[in-house]
Short mmCIF file of all heavy atoms in Angstrom, two decimals:
data_model
loop_
_atom_site.label_atom_id
_atom_site.label_comp_id
_atom_site.label_asym_id
_atom_site.label_seq_id
_atom_site.Cartn_x
_atom_site.Cartn_y
_atom_site.Cartn_z
N ILE D 872 -16.08 -53.15 7.09
CA ILE D 872 -15.24 -52.17 7.77
C ILE D 872 -15.27 -50.78 7.13
O ILE D 872 -14.90 -49.85 7.81
CB ILE D 872 -13.81 -52.66 7.86
CG1 ILE D 872 -13.14 -52.67 6.54
CG2 ILE D 872 -13.64 -53.97 8.61
CD1 ILE D 872 -11.60 -52.93 6.59
N ILE D 873 -15.84 -50.64 5.92
CA ILE D 873 -15.80 -49.35 5.32
C ILE D 873 -16.91 -48.35 5.73
O ILE D 873 -16.91 -47.24 5.41
CB ILE D 873 -15.75 -49.41 3.74
CG1 ILE D 873 -17.09 -50.04 3.24
CG2 ILE D 873 -14.52 -50.13 3.27
CD1 ILE D 873 -17.10 -49.93 1.73
N GLY D 874 -17.89 -48.97 6.42
CA GLY D 874 -18.92 -48.08 6.96
C GLY D 874 -20.18 -47.74 6.23
O GLY D 874 -21.04 -47.03 6.72
N SER D 875 -20.32 -48.36 5.03
CA SER D 875 -21.54 -48.15 4.27
C SER D 875 -22.63 -49.07 4.76
O SER D 875 -22.37 -50.07 5.40
CB SER D 875 -21.30 -48.38 2.75
OG SER D 875 -21.02 -49.73 2.52
N SER D 876 -23.88 -48.78 4.47
CA SER D 876 -24.97 -49.67 4.90
C SER D 876 -26.17 -49.54 3.97
O SER D 876 -26.38 -48.51 3.24
CB SER D 876 -25.44 -49.28 6.35
OG SER D 876 -25.86 -47.91 6.40
N GLY D 877 -27.04 -50.55 3.91
CA GLY D 877 -28.21 -50.48 3.19
C GLY D 877 -28.18 -51.02 1.72
O GLY D 877 -29.17 -51.07 1.02
N PHE D 878 -27.00 -51.44 1.27
CA PHE D 878 -26.83 -51.92 -0.10
C PHE D 878 -26.93 -53.46 -0.09
O PHE D 878 -26.57 -54.19 0.84
CB PHE D 878 -25.43 -51.60 -0.66
CG PHE D 878 -25.28 -50.08 -0.82
CD1 PHE D 878 -24.65 -49.33 0.11
CD2 PHE D 878 -25.82 -49.51 -2.00
CE1 PHE D 878 -24.51 -47.95 0.01
CE2 PHE D 878 -25.57 -48.12 -2.16
CZ PHE D 878 -24.96 -47.35 -1.19
N PRO D 879 -27.52 -54.01 -1.19
CA PRO D 879 -27.75 -55.47 -1.31
C PRO D 879 -26.37 -56.20 -1.60
O PRO D 879 -25.34 -55.53 -1.91
CB PRO D 879 -28.69 -55.61 -2.43
CG PRO D 879 -28.38 -54.47 -3.33
CD PRO D 879 -28.13 -53.32 -2.36
N ALA D 880 -26.40 -57.51 -1.49
CA ALA D 880 -25.22 -58.31 -1.87
C ALA D 880 -25.06 -58.10 -3.36
O ALA D 880 -26.04 -58.00 -4.07
CB ALA D 880 -25.48 -59.75 -1.46
N SER D 881 -23.86 -58.20 -3.80
CA SER D 881 -23.55 -58.08 -5.33
C SER D 881 -24.30 -59.19 -6.03
O SER D 881 -24.55 -60.32 -5.48
CB SER D 881 -22.07 -58.16 -5.58
OG SER D 881 -21.58 -59.51 -5.30
N ALA D 882 -24.67 -58.97 -7.21
CA ALA D 882 -25.44 -59.99 -8.08
C ALA D 882 -24.63 -61.28 -8.22
O ALA D 882 -25.14 -62.30 -8.15
CB ALA D 882 -25.79 -59.40 -9.42
N GLU D 883 -23.23 -61.07 -8.39
CA GLU D 883 -22.42 -62.27 -8.55
C GLU D 883 -22.40 -63.18 -7.31
O GLU D 883 -22.38 -64.37 -7.31
CB GLU D 883 -20.98 -61.85 -8.92
CG GLU D 883 -20.92 -61.14 -10.28
CD GLU D 883 -21.21 -59.63 -10.17
OE1 GLU D 883 -21.60 -59.16 -9.11
OE2 GLU D 883 -20.94 -58.92 -11.20
N ALA D 884 -22.38 -62.45 -6.10
CA ALA D 884 -22.38 -63.20 -4.81
C ALA D 884 -23.73 -63.96 -4.69
O ALA D 884 -23.73 -65.08 -4.21
CB ALA D 884 -22.26 -62.22 -3.61
N VAL D 885 -24.84 -63.28 -5.04
CA VAL D 885 -26.13 -63.88 -4.95
C VAL D 885 -26.16 -65.19 -5.86
O VAL D 885 -26.67 -66.22 -5.41
CB VAL D 885 -27.26 -62.94 -5.41
CG1 VAL D 885 -28.58 -63.64 -5.43
CG2 VAL D 885 -27.36 -61.80 -4.36
N ILE D 886 -25.63 -65.08 -7.08
CA ILE D 886 -25.59 -66.19 -7.97
C ILE D 886 -24.75 -67.34 -7.44
O ILE D 886 -25.16 -68.51 -7.47
CB ILE D 886 -25.15 -65.73 -9.40
CG1 ILE D 886 -26.13 -64.87 -10.01
CG2 ILE D 886 -24.89 -66.93 -10.24
CD1 ILE D 886 -25.68 -64.09 -11.29
N ALA D 887 -23.59 -66.97 -6.97
CA ALA D 887 -22.67 -67.95 -6.42
C ALA D 887 -23.27 -68.74 -5.23
O ALA D 887 -23.15 -69.99 -5.18
CB ALA D 887 -21.37 -67.34 -6.01
N CYS D 888 -23.99 -68.05 -4.37
CA CYS D 888 -24.60 -68.73 -3.23
C CYS D 888 -25.80 -69.53 -3.64
O CYS D 888 -26.05 -70.64 -3.15
CB CYS D 888 -25.03 -67.66 -2.19
SG CYS D 888 -23.68 -66.99 -1.19
N ALA D 889 -26.56 -69.03 -4.64
CA ALA D 889 -27.79 -69.73 -5.08
C ALA D 889 -27.35 -71.15 -5.60
O ALA D 889 -28.10 -72.10 -5.51
CB ALA D 889 -28.52 -68.95 -6.16
N ALA D 890 -26.24 -71.24 -6.32
CA ALA D 890 -25.72 -72.45 -6.86
C ALA D 890 -25.49 -73.48 -5.70
O ALA D 890 -25.41 -74.66 -6.01
CB ALA D 890 -24.42 -72.26 -7.64
N MET D 891 -25.28 -72.99 -4.47
CA MET D 891 -25.06 -73.86 -3.34
C MET D 891 -26.33 -74.09 -2.48
O MET D 891 -26.35 -74.69 -1.43
CB MET D 891 -23.98 -73.28 -2.43
CG MET D 891 -22.64 -73.14 -3.05
SD MET D 891 -21.53 -72.27 -1.88
CE MET D 891 -19.98 -72.49 -2.78
N GLY D 892 -27.44 -73.60 -3.04
CA GLY D 892 -28.64 -73.70 -2.25
C GLY D 892 -28.86 -72.66 -1.15
O GLY D 892 -29.59 -72.91 -0.18
N VAL D 893 -28.14 -71.53 -1.21
CA VAL D 893 -28.09 -70.54 -0.21
C VAL D 893 -28.68 -69.21 -0.79
O VAL D 893 -28.21 -68.71 -1.80
CB VAL D 893 -26.74 -70.30 0.34
CG1 VAL D 893 -26.70 -69.11 1.30
CG2 VAL D 893 -26.14 -71.54 0.94
N ASP D 894 -29.74 -68.72 -0.19
CA ASP D 894 -30.40 -67.40 -0.64
C ASP D 894 -29.94 -66.26 0.14
O ASP D 894 -30.25 -66.14 1.40
CB ASP D 894 -31.85 -67.63 -0.55
CG ASP D 894 -32.68 -66.51 -1.13
OD1 ASP D 894 -32.06 -65.54 -1.53
OD2 ASP D 894 -33.90 -66.56 -1.05
N ILE D 895 -29.24 -65.31 -0.49
CA ILE D 895 -28.82 -64.09 0.19
C ILE D 895 -29.38 -62.87 -0.42
O ILE D 895 -28.91 -61.76 -0.22
CB ILE D 895 -27.24 -63.95 0.33
CG1 ILE D 895 -26.58 -63.90 -1.02
CG2 ILE D 895 -26.69 -65.19 1.14
CD1 ILE D 895 -25.11 -63.55 -1.04
N LYS D 896 -30.44 -63.09 -1.23
CA LYS D 896 -31.07 -61.92 -1.83
C LYS D 896 -31.57 -60.79 -0.93
O LYS D 896 -31.56 -59.60 -1.31
CB LYS D 896 -32.19 -62.41 -2.76
CG LYS D 896 -31.79 -63.19 -4.00
CD LYS D 896 -32.86 -63.41 -5.00
CE LYS D 896 -34.12 -64.13 -4.45
NZ LYS D 896 -33.81 -65.54 -4.14
N ALA D 897 -32.00 -61.23 0.22
CA ALA D 897 -32.57 -60.24 1.21
C ALA D 897 -31.44 -59.53 1.92
O ALA D 897 -31.79 -58.51 2.69
CB ALA D 897 -33.49 -60.94 2.13
N HIS D 898 -30.22 -59.83 1.80
CA HIS D 898 -29.15 -59.22 2.54
C HIS D 898 -29.01 -57.75 2.28
O HIS D 898 -29.11 -57.29 1.12
CB HIS D 898 -27.79 -59.91 2.23
CG HIS D 898 -26.62 -59.23 2.86
ND1 HIS D 898 -26.26 -59.38 4.17
CD2 HIS D 898 -25.75 -58.31 2.29
CE1 HIS D 898 -25.18 -58.60 4.44
NE2 HIS D 898 -24.84 -57.97 3.31
N ARG D 899 -28.75 -56.95 3.31
CA ARG D 899 -28.43 -55.53 3.18
C ARG D 899 -27.17 -55.23 4.00
O ARG D 899 -27.17 -55.68 5.17
CB ARG D 899 -29.65 -54.61 3.62
CG ARG D 899 -30.86 -54.73 2.68
CD ARG D 899 -30.53 -54.24 1.26
NE ARG D 899 -31.69 -54.33 0.39
CZ ARG D 899 -31.96 -55.43 -0.40
NH1 ARG D 899 -31.24 -56.51 -0.27
NH2 ARG D 899 -33.05 -55.39 -1.16
N ASN D 900 -26.23 -54.59 3.45
CA ASN D 900 -24.92 -54.43 4.19
C ASN D 900 -25.08 -53.52 5.36
O ASN D 900 -25.95 -52.64 5.42
CB ASN D 900 -23.84 -54.10 3.20
CG ASN D 900 -23.86 -52.56 2.88
OD1 ASN D 900 -24.93 -51.94 2.82
ND2 ASN D 900 -22.69 -52.04 2.64
N LYS D 901 -24.16 -53.70 6.29
CA LYS D 901 -24.05 -52.87 7.46
C LYS D 901 -22.72 -52.59 7.87
O LYS D 901 -21.75 -53.42 7.52
CB LYS D 901 -24.91 -53.52 8.65
CG LYS D 901 -24.30 -54.82 9.20
CD LYS D 901 -25.13 -55.39 10.36
CE LYS D 901 -26.49 -55.86 9.96
NZ LYS D 901 -26.38 -57.08 9.20
N ALA D 902 -22.50 -51.48 8.63
CA ALA D 902 -21.19 -51.18 9.08
C ALA D 902 -20.71 -51.94 10.29
O ALA D 902 -21.51 -52.12 11.25
CB ALA D 902 -21.06 -49.64 9.29
N LEU D 903 -19.44 -52.34 10.42
CA LEU D 903 -18.94 -52.92 11.59
C LEU D 903 -18.93 -51.89 12.71
O LEU D 903 -18.63 -50.80 12.50
CB LEU D 903 -17.44 -53.36 11.38
CG LEU D 903 -16.76 -54.04 12.52
CD1 LEU D 903 -17.44 -55.40 12.85
CD2 LEU D 903 -15.25 -54.20 12.23
N SER D 904 -19.43 -52.33 13.92
CA SER D 904 -19.48 -51.51 15.06
C SER D 904 -18.96 -52.13 16.31
O SER D 904 -18.96 -53.42 16.38
CB SER D 904 -20.91 -50.98 15.27
OG SER D 904 -21.74 -52.05 15.63
N ASN D 905 -18.66 -51.41 17.35
CA ASN D 905 -18.19 -51.94 18.59
C ASN D 905 -19.34 -52.75 19.15
O ASN D 905 -19.07 -53.91 19.74
CB ASN D 905 -17.87 -50.78 19.52
CG ASN D 905 -17.39 -51.24 20.87
OD1 ASN D 905 -18.26 -51.38 21.82
ND2 ASN D 905 -16.10 -51.44 21.02
N GLU D 906 -20.60 -52.42 19.03
CA GLU D 906 -21.75 -53.11 19.52
C GLU D 906 -21.85 -54.46 18.93
O GLU D 906 -22.07 -55.50 19.59
CB GLU D 906 -22.99 -52.27 19.40
CG GLU D 906 -24.19 -52.96 19.90
CD GLU D 906 -25.54 -52.17 19.65
OE1 GLU D 906 -25.44 -51.05 19.12
OE2 GLU D 906 -26.62 -52.67 20.09
N LEU D 907 -21.65 -54.53 17.58
CA LEU D 907 -21.81 -55.82 16.85
C LEU D 907 -20.69 -56.81 17.34
O LEU D 907 -20.95 -58.02 17.53
CB LEU D 907 -21.61 -55.60 15.37
CG LEU D 907 -22.93 -55.40 14.52
CD1 LEU D 907 -22.53 -55.08 13.11
CD2 LEU D 907 -23.86 -56.60 14.63
N ILE D 908 -19.55 -56.27 17.54
CA ILE D 908 -18.51 -57.07 17.99
C ILE D 908 -18.69 -57.68 19.44
O ILE D 908 -18.55 -58.81 19.70
CB ILE D 908 -17.07 -56.31 17.95
CG1 ILE D 908 -16.76 -55.91 16.53
CG2 ILE D 908 -15.94 -57.19 18.51
CD1 ILE D 908 -15.66 -54.92 16.43
N LYS D 909 -19.11 -56.69 20.32
CA LYS D 909 -19.40 -57.11 21.65
C LYS D 909 -20.43 -58.14 21.87
O LYS D 909 -20.36 -59.02 22.74
CB LYS D 909 -19.77 -55.87 22.50
CG LYS D 909 -18.57 -54.98 22.92
CD LYS D 909 -19.06 -53.91 23.88
CE LYS D 909 -17.87 -53.13 24.44
NZ LYS D 909 -18.16 -52.17 25.44
N GLU D 910 -21.40 -58.11 20.97
CA GLU D 910 -22.50 -59.14 21.07
C GLU D 910 -22.16 -60.46 20.41
O GLU D 910 -23.00 -61.36 20.42
CB GLU D 910 -23.81 -58.67 20.64
CG GLU D 910 -23.83 -58.39 19.10
CD GLU D 910 -25.21 -57.68 18.69
OE1 GLU D 910 -25.84 -57.00 19.51
OE2 GLU D 910 -25.56 -57.87 17.52
N SER D 911 -20.96 -60.58 19.81
CA SER D 911 -20.56 -61.76 19.07
C SER D 911 -19.62 -62.60 19.89
O SER D 911 -18.65 -62.07 20.42
CB SER D 911 -19.92 -61.38 17.70
OG SER D 911 -20.86 -60.60 16.90
N ASP D 912 -19.82 -63.82 19.95
CA ASP D 912 -18.95 -64.81 20.69
C ASP D 912 -17.78 -65.27 19.83
O ASP D 912 -16.66 -65.54 20.25
CB ASP D 912 -19.77 -65.94 21.19
CG ASP D 912 -20.91 -65.56 22.04
OD1 ASP D 912 -20.62 -65.29 23.26
OD2 ASP D 912 -22.04 -65.46 21.61
N ILE D 913 -18.03 -65.33 18.51
CA ILE D 913 -16.94 -65.64 17.57
C ILE D 913 -17.12 -64.68 16.38
O ILE D 913 -18.03 -64.45 15.86
CB ILE D 913 -17.13 -67.04 17.09
CG1 ILE D 913 -17.17 -68.06 18.23
CG2 ILE D 913 -15.86 -67.43 16.16
CD1 ILE D 913 -17.49 -69.51 17.73
#
């Protein structure tokens, strides 16, 4: 909701997910928008 974009997931979040077998290294943050909400069913 703060509007920044292009930054990776925090190192700690990447490590926490990796321990669960989930890879989020490629993630880049994006800002919440009306368009994103409209195209989402949940």
